[in-house]
Amino acid sequence: MSDTVHNSSKLSRIAELGQRVLDGGQLTREEGLWLFNLEETSDIISLLSWANRIRERYKGNKIHLCSIVNAKAGACSEDCSFCAQSSHYQTGSPKYGFVDPEPVMQAVDEAKQNGVTAVSLVAAWKGLNEGPMLDEVCDRIRELKAIGKTRPDASLGIIKSQHVADRLKEAGLECYGHNLETSRRFFPNTCTTHSYDDRVQTIKHLKQAGIKICSGGILGMGETREDRCELAFSLREIGANVVPVNILNPIKGTPYENNPPLSVMEILKSIACFRLILPRQEIMIAGGRTVNLRDAQSMIFMAGASAMMVGNYLTTLNQPVEKDLQMLKDLGLDPSWDKHGFSDQEEGGCGCGHESCAAEPATV
Ligand code: SF4
């Protein structure tokens, strides 16, 4: 009897928090952590159903598809413990310099055929400075912008000068990927060659330049639920527009190669918590989806995800794009996100997809 009462009070609290977010309110850190700490399957399923309603409220049935091109691979000076491309570990991952335009154009063509909205140029290096490489990156962004097939995004590491961010903006860059990765507390366990503050400062330069921010993290590196909660609130504070949630795919040769996998319910619950803490943002499920979620991949949308990375990841394989598109079709979800832009992140914006609701771009 007391168990029943206890459980019904937990369900009532989940409903109260879910309803508040649905009505446009926000969670406190203490409330977010309480959700991250839910253990029982029935509580987690209840949370997922609220996350699903909140996704539908702000995103309708639109799903943003994004893919990446590894524009410079391997031999990275940094020691990120999860990464196959770090020169600090023997992983057998490919290594090549900044790619010519042709393979990038080919990737963009393929992405366009598959209904992908944005293709991000990703480079394995510490960061981008003034000089010939910045010129080359800007040329590539201009070319991609000119052909107009998909939105050219970029993820090019740490930016230390406002001028570099401004040059990217001038070249036509709309959105830059730069994960916080985890909480400030846990970050030194993951990387020692640059700091959490280097990452935060990069995001500040990009925002100052008027570039939208794609920033999230990785679950399953050994962080606590408090760290996951802290990451979600940091992303809210920093004003991320797109929040990639990666789930560790342990790479042989890296320090995390033997990390135990998170359970499927723990992953889905974490996605749902991100949705409740970041109700208007794109919550994008990225690396590690197939290997960690297996047959439960379609549950990410019920957990509140509104975006998905398709095609292969930087160093690991994803399931075929056709399978992902079929999954969306089976669920009645629509990948034609591009009509909508970032307008649904504004106060009053919604997931209806009407042109009038997409009239003004969001300010970050
Ligand atoms: S995550 Fe990026 S910065 Fe870190 S080692 Fe990999 S490529 Fe380098």
Side-chain angles (χ1 to χ4, degrees):
M1 178 67 183
S2 66
D3 272 2
T4 311
V5 171
H6 178 63
N7 203 42
S8 88
S9 80
K10 275 203 287 176
L11 292 176
S12 306
R13 189 164 187 220
I14 295 166
E16 180 208 322
L17 299 179
Q19 188 64 52
R20 188 196 308 159
V21 177
L22 206 53
D23 293 341
Q26 286 196 332
L27 300 189
T28 64
R29 271 181 159 72
E30 181 267 327
E31 289 164 340
L33 184 56
W34 183 79
L35 292 174
F36 269 102
N37 278 325
L38 291 173
E39 292 274 5
E40 285 165 39
T41 302
S42 58
D43 296 334
I44 295 172
I45 296 289
S46 170
L47 174 64
L48 300 191
S49 79
W50 280 101
N52 187 47
R53 288 173 72 182
I54 294 162
R55 174 186 62 76
E56 286 182 339
R57 161 75 181 82
Y58 291 110
K59 307 292 172 186
N61 69 342
K62 299 279 191 263
I63 298 296
H64 171 200
L65 300 184
C66 171
S67 61
I68 47 181
V69 182
N70 212 0
K72 185 267 164 193
C76 180
S77 60
E78 303 308 282
D79 69 351
C80 307
S81 297
F82 54 84
C83 184
Q85 303 203 70
S86 167
S87 59
H88 296 250
Y89 318 124
Q90 301 300 319
T91 63
S93 183
K95 298 181 180 82
Y96 52 82
F98 202 69
V99 290
D100 293 330
E102 291 74 31
V104 176
M105 293 298 175
Q106 208 181 327
V108 166
D109 282 343
E110 255 172 56
K112 175 72 182 168
Q113 278 163 24
N114 291 321
V116 171
T117 313
V119 174
S120 189
L121 292 177
V122 181
W125 58 39
K126 181 165 189 159
L128 189 57
N129 300 312
E130 315 249 3
M133 187 48 72
L134 176 61
D135 298 339
E136 199 170 335
V137 164
C138 289
D139 286 347
R140 208 55 41 82
I141 291 165
R142 271 190 216 96
E143 289 155 14
L144 293 173
K145 190 89 180 165
I147 61 166
K149 291 186 176 170
T150 61
R151 191 184 72 215
D153 290 356
S155 181
L156 305 165
I158 289 164
I159 290 177
K160 292 207 159 160
S161 114
Q162 187 57 46
H163 184 61
V164 172
D166 293 341
R167 287 269 320 272
L168 292 171
K169 176 68 179 174
E170 273 165 36
L173 189 74
E174 289 179 46
C175 187
Y176 192 98
H178 196 62
N179 286 343
L180 290 182
E181 308 295 14
T182 185
S183 67
R184 180 181 285 279
R185 182 199 75 85
F186 192 74
F187 189 84
N189 296 71
T190 294
C191 178
T192 65
T193 46
H194 61 266
S195 71
Y196 198 78
D197 282 322
D198 289 332
R199 295 195 155 259
V200 170
Q201 188 54 51
T202 297
I203 292 174
K204 287 183 177 166
H205 286 317
L206 291 160
K207 284 182 67 179
Q208 174 74 23
I211 295 171
K212 298 282 187 281
I213 304 300
C214 174
S215 183
I218 306 176
L219 310 180
M221 297 193 291
E223 77 287 349
T224 62
R225 288 168 174 166
E226 283 84 348
D227 292 314
R228 289 173 209 150
C229 182
E230 198 50 41
L231 170 64
F233 277 92
S234 298
L235 292 166
R236 187 169 92 179
E237 277 157 21
I238 210 153
N241 300 91
V242 181
V243 174
V245 176
N246 299 273
I247 309 118
L248 184 77
N249 183 357
I251 306 284
K252 198 164 179 330
T254 64
Y256 290 163
E257 68 175 315
N258 295 317
N259 272 33
L262 296 178
S263 74
V264 167
M265 290 311 276
E266 187 69 28
I267 295 166
L268 294 173
K269 177 185 67 179
S270 303
I271 296 169
C273 291
F274 271 73
R275 171 53 67 209
L276 267 77
I277 295 165
L278 298 148
R280 290 170 185 272
Q281 278 70 13
E282 297 303 336
I283 305 291
M284 177 169 76
I285 310 311
R289 165 166 59 94
T290 314
V291 72
N292 284 286
L293 291 170
R294 302 174 292 281
D295 285 352
Q297 286 181 75
S298 61
M299 294 279 289
I300 59 174
F301 306 107
M302 188 183 169
S306 59
M308 179 168 64
M309 188 170 285
V310 296
N312 290 332
Y313 307 121
L314 295 175
T315 59
T316 55
L317 299 178
N318 198 354
Q319 71 175 6
V321 181
E322 299 73 35
K323 235 178 150 181
D324 284 335
L325 294 175
Q326 186 63 49
M327 174 169 73
L328 293 177
K329 196 170 169 199
D330 292 343
L331 294 168
L333 296 168
D334 174 6
S336 61
W337 180 86
D338 49 338
K339 289 193 191 79
H340 208 61
F342 288 101
S343 63
D344 54 4
Q345 295 181 18
E346 292 172 81
E347 204 55 44
C350 67
C352 69
H354 293 149
E355 296 285 328
S356 58
C357 293
E360 294 293 324
T363 48
V364 183

